[in-house]
Amino acid sequence: MNDTLSLSRLSLLIKNHLAENRQRYLLYAFGILAIAFIVYILIFCVNNFRPYYFEIEDGVVTNPNNTTEWEVIQFVTYFSGLFIFGGIFACISFVNFSNSAEAIFYLNKPASHLEKWLTEIVVRVVFLFFAYTLLFYLIDIPATFLARGLEYAGHLENLRDASFEEIGVVKVFHPSKIFYFYLPEIPDSIIYFLLISGYLSIVAFFMYGAVLFNRFSFFKTLFLAFVVGMVYFFYGISFVDSDILMPGEWRYSFPDRAEMNEQMISNGFRDEYSGFRTSLGPGFLSVVFYFLMIFVPSFLLLCSYFKLKEKEV
Amino acid sequence: MIKIENLSYSYKKKNVFDGLSINFEPGNIYGLLGKNGTGKSTLFRNICGLLKPKKGNITTYGYPSVSRNPSMLSKLFLLPEEFFVPSVYVKDFVGTLAPFYPRFSQEEFKKHISDFDVPYDNKLDQMSLGQKKKTLIAFSLATNTELLLMDEPTNGLDIVSKTQFKNVMSGSINENKCIIISTHQVKDIENLIGRISVIDNGSILFNESISSIGKKISFIHSSTVSNSPKTIYAEQTISGFSEVLINDSGLESKVDLEMLYKAVMLKPEEINKLFNA
């Protein structure tokens, strides 16, 4: 018997986990649907029931950017929900360790810590990701049709001759953007990379909190996140304000990796901003940035594994 | 099978074990007795690897308990005093948990469930406390694990269920199996256990087989106290007096667990002198 990782035991554990939590997850699914429904009703109300607003004059849409707002609304709603539900769902990871009976039942199941940890990742990260996306579209697709229908109804006579880019259901999984984030020629890919790694970081952080704290893990993890965030924020400010980094607009704006790489490749570490000798170039910052975005969630997930291994009841 | 060497364990402010050593061998049902808070449940948790000893070693089937190795965990089953059951039907509970135990027997489970009169089609969390416990006892026996740890298994069971428990348990022991029952209800495990271990002050105060006890000690109940020099311990009861005496008749007497426990706790020197002679 392989005592570290057995795929058959892992699949048994996942099956067991889903069977034991079926009711709870169904309840969560209905909760997510209800909240998404309420959020879309609020979006419609706030936008005067015209979230897909546009005007047409002589067959020309006079405010083409407004239609893209609907895409932004969907995008922001999707990722806000993913972050919030990801955090909440991760916080109830493993088991309720404040209940020793439940913890004993869980830890005594004949499976390795690695298998128990992987089960949590499969359920909390992968299943949630797909289940949430499915639930989101169950509300988003009808909402998009409704928003367009409401708007089209007001432009029936002008719509026939008008030509404009119609915005439909947002594609949150754009493969070329998600999986090729390292290619600078793919526009906006960095945003997807940030969002995905941000999601993983949140999930990893709350999973660690779930195994670290026995009681009120959600609130304690939130507090810990606040403290870490404050330290990071103030440390970041002092780091950026120091002379160790090259000055320039990029310091205060979103780090455009493509631009940085281009500078690094063409100029090396030569300082094109006058008056300063650069110790650490933008390429370095870029590397640090990507390293942190990948390292942080991985590190936190590993921490939760080792904490689980050491857990006592 | 279970080797505990020089075990020391303490909670934040309370020392529980201090150099406890004991071995548990297969083919026995052990009765683990001790006052409240002496660490019977803590010992179980240490054996399962749920707690880590501050000092000393515990090996279960050759594995260090702290490793919580799947091979080790599939060979033991712990029924804690305060237990948890998920919100699933009995058949789903068995269907998804039994595959972790290679020697699990569906037939045995159904037989035990039927012996205990527990409905098979119910949801676990909707059962009464006694029914939940009986389901877990039936499951634990059907796993056919070599080691079965039961912490106060008769708590929450009615009188009929306690008799059913005794009957089911007595048919479950074999030469490969070791069952350790921790309880305060000594009457519930009378005629069931083969060996008795008493924990006190962080160590094993007494650890003998029932047959050895029966050969060295006798128990009598009479209307008057004997005042014999062989008396180790005596107490007044509603119907008269109960006494624990040195058995020099050469015949094996029937062991009264409750009286034995009191004698061990209140007259430890005399008892130890008798058994270590």
Side-chain angles (χ1 to χ4, degrees):
Chain A
M1 184 189 275
N2 184 344
D3 281 332
T4 309
L5 180 63
S6 148
L7 288 180
S8 62
R9 217 166 38 220
L10 178 65
S11 63
L12 275 177
L13 202 59
I14 294 172
K15 199 177 150 195
N16 175 262
H17 178 96
L18 293 177
E20 284 177 4
N21 294 281
R22 189 167 39 203
Q23 261 193 329
R24 193 184 291 182
Y25 291 163
L26 270 175
L27 203 67
Y28 291 157
F30 281 117
I32 291 173
L33 268 181
I35 290 168
F37 184 72
I38 291 166
V39 166
Y40 270 97
I41 286 177
L42 287 174
I43 290 168
F44 272 70
C45 289
V46 166
N47 291 285
N48 207 18
F49 292 94
R50 294 182 71 183
Y52 196 83
Y53 172 76
F54 63 85
E55 292 290 343
I56 300 177
E57 270 181 32
D58 302 326
V60 178
V61 176
T62 55
N63 51 348
N65 288 338
N66 277 13
T67 55
T68 59
E69 277 180 18
W70 178 246
E71 190 172 37
V72 173
I73 287 170
Q74 294 175 83
F75 192 82
V76 170
T77 309
Y78 173 84
F79 278 103
S80 310
L82 184 66
F83 279 37
I84 293 166
F85 292 120
I88 293 171
F89 206 55
C91 210
I92 50 165
S93 296
F94 301 106
V95 73
N96 180 9
F97 280 114
S98 64
N99 181 341
S100 65
E102 204 176 336
I104 288 171
F105 180 73
Y106 173 75
L107 290 173
N108 265 352
K109 280 180 191 168
S112 68
H113 297 106
L114 182 63
E115 288 152 0
K116 286 171 184 164
W117 180 73
L118 283 174
T119 300
E120 294 299 325
I121 290 182
V122 167
V123 174
R124 311 289 161 182
V125 182
V126 183
F127 282 9
L128 174 81
F129 199 68
F130 288 109
Y132 170 76
T133 305
L134 179 74
L135 293 168
F136 171 80
Y137 278 124
L138 277 178
I139 299 294
D140 181 66
I141 292 170
T144 301
F145 277 101
L146 181 65
R148 281 166 58 167
L150 285 172
E151 196 57 36
Y152 284 12
H155 300 289
L156 282 178
E157 65 282 6
N158 298 325
L159 205 61
R160 196 176 302 144
D161 305 321
S163 67
F164 61 96
E165 190 193 348
E166 289 185 83
I167 299 300
V169 175
V170 70
K171 289 175 186 168
V172 285
F173 292 120
H174 203 301
S176 65
K177 290 180 178 178
I178 293 173
F179 298 112
Y180 299 100
F181 63 84
Y182 49 85
L183 295 176
E185 59 271 18
I186 306 292
D188 300 332
S189 61
I190 184 98
I191 299 287
Y192 281 90
F193 172 71
L194 258 183
L195 289 169
I196 299 292
S197 61
Y199 164 68
L200 288 175
S201 299
I202 286 173
V203 169
F205 198 78
F206 277 93
M207 267 179 83
Y208 181 60
V211 74
L212 181 68
F213 303 115
N214 283 353
R215 283 172 177 272
F216 311 114
S217 61
F218 182 72
F219 297 106
K220 285 178 179 173
T221 313
L222 264 186
F223 179 72
L224 185 65
F226 174 75
V227 171
V228 171
M230 292 305 282
V231 169
Y232 182 78
F233 178 73
F234 286 114
Y235 177 75
I237 282 181
S238 63
F239 185 66
V240 166
D241 280 349
S242 69
D243 287 343
I244 200 167
L245 287 170
M246 191 165 63
E249 283 302 311
W250 57 270
R251 284 153 135 216
Y252 304 106
S253 61
F254 191 78
D256 188 327
R257 177 186 37 74
E259 188 188 329
M260 287 178 194
N261 284 353
E262 196 182 319
Q263 281 179 15
M264 206 176 90
I265 293 161
S266 60
N267 303 331
F269 288 101
R270 184 165 57 82
D271 185 0
E272 61 184 12
Y273 299 94
S274 58
F276 277 92
R277 172 69 191 158
T278 309
S279 306
L280 301 168
F284 170 79
L285 187 67
S286 179
V287 169
V288 169
F289 170 75
Y290 278 97
F291 175 72
L292 281 176
M293 294 311 287
I294 294 165
F295 173 79
V296 169
S298 313
F299 176 72
L300 286 169
L301 284 174
L302 272 179
C303 286
S304 65
Y305 166 70
F306 285 109
K307 194 70 197 166
L308 175 68
K309 222 176 156 184
E310 299 298 313
K311 197 78 191 173
E312 291 186 53
V313 180
Chain B
M1 177 178 269
I2 303 171
K3 215 174 191 178
I4 302 174
E5 290 173 326
N6 202 25
L7 171 69
S8 294
Y9 186 83
S10 57
Y11 290 107
K12 273 177 192 172
K13 288 177 182 171
K14 192 189 168 201
N15 199 31
V16 184
F17 301 128
D18 191 13
L20 184 146
S21 296
I22 189 171
N23 289 346
F24 294 102
E25 299 297 336
N28 281 307
I29 299 183
Y30 287 83
L32 188 65
L33 307 178
K35 287 185 281 191
N36 288 331
T38 45
K40 299 183 293 295
S41 304
T42 305
L43 183 66
F44 280 179
R45 292 188 191 189
N46 271 280
I47 290 171
C48 294
L50 296 167
L51 293 173
K52 288 177 184 168
K54 306 296 175 211
K55 276 185 199 165
N57 293 308
I58 304 178
T59 50
T60 308
Y61 307 102
Y63 297 102
S65 291
V66 287
S67 68
R68 296 201 288 245
N69 195 302
S71 297
M72 181 193 93
L73 291 175
S74 66
K75 286 182 178 141
L76 67 86
F77 192 93
L78 168 67
L79 179 64
E81 184 181 6
E82 285 177 22
F83 56 86
F84 167 81
V85 287
S87 174
V88 290
Y89 288 98
V90 175
K91 66 176 168 53
D92 292 334
F93 177 74
V94 174
T96 59
L97 197 60
F100 289 102
Y101 299 94
R103 298 203 293 182
F104 187 88
S105 163
Q106 290 278 356
E107 290 73 31
E108 277 181 47
F109 177 72
K110 284 184 180 163
K111 186 183 172 297
H112 295 321
I113 281 283
S114 152
D115 290 346
F116 277 132
D117 286 331
V118 177
Y120 190 74
D121 300 325
N122 278 22
K123 253 187 165 181
L124 275 170
D125 61 336
Q126 287 167 359
M127 290 178 172
S128 70
L129 177 74
Q131 285 179 323
K132 284 178 195 171
K133 194 148 217 174
K134 286 191 276 188
T135 307
L136 282 186
I137 292 171
F139 185 85
S140 66
L141 292 170
T143 55
N144 282 308
T145 51
E146 282 96 328
L147 175 63
L148 193 50
L149 305 166
M150 294 178 147
D151 198 357
E152 301 289 351
T154 53
N155 269 9
L157 298 188
D158 56 37
I159 295 165
V160 176
S161 301
K162 283 179 180 178
T163 311
Q164 288 168 339
F165 171 76
K166 270 189 184 179
N167 294 338
V168 168
M169 291 302 293
S170 57
S172 303
I173 191 71
N174 59 43
E175 70 271 15
N176 299 318
K177 200 162 186 166
C178 173
I179 301 175
I180 309 174
I181 302 172
S182 153
T183 186
H184 292 110
Q185 320 281 333
V186 284
K187 291 278 177 201
D188 296 340
I189 55 167
E190 228 159 25
N191 304 326
L192 193 64
I193 57 169
R195 209 172 168 90
I196 181 165
S197 306
V198 179
I199 303 180
D200 194 47
N201 287 329
S203 58
I204 297 291
L205 185 62
F206 183 77
N207 183 27
E208 292 293 334
S209 69
I210 291 292
S211 65
S212 153
I213 296 165
K215 280 175 192 161
K216 292 186 176 175
I217 297 177
S218 61
F219 302 84
I220 58 163
H221 302 277
S222 58
S223 54
T224 54
V225 67
S226 66
N227 281 326
S228 157
K230 290 192 286 184
T231 302
I232 301 169
Y233 174 76
E235 71 170 25
Q236 194 167 12
T237 62
I238 297 167
S239 57
F241 289 89
S242 291
E243 287 182 65
V244 179
L245 303 117
I246 296 168
N247 182 4
D248 51 10
S249 67
L251 297 170
E252 195 173 320
S253 68
K254 188 177 181 301
V255 176
D256 180 331
L257 280 182
E258 201 171 323
M259 285 303 289
L260 171 72
Y261 176 66
K262 286 174 185 171
V264 169
M265 295 305 291
L266 299 170
K267 303 281 181 185
E269 292 85 12
E270 284 92 328
I271 294 285
N272 274 328
K273 205 170 133 189
L274 183 68
F275 281 89
N276 295 332

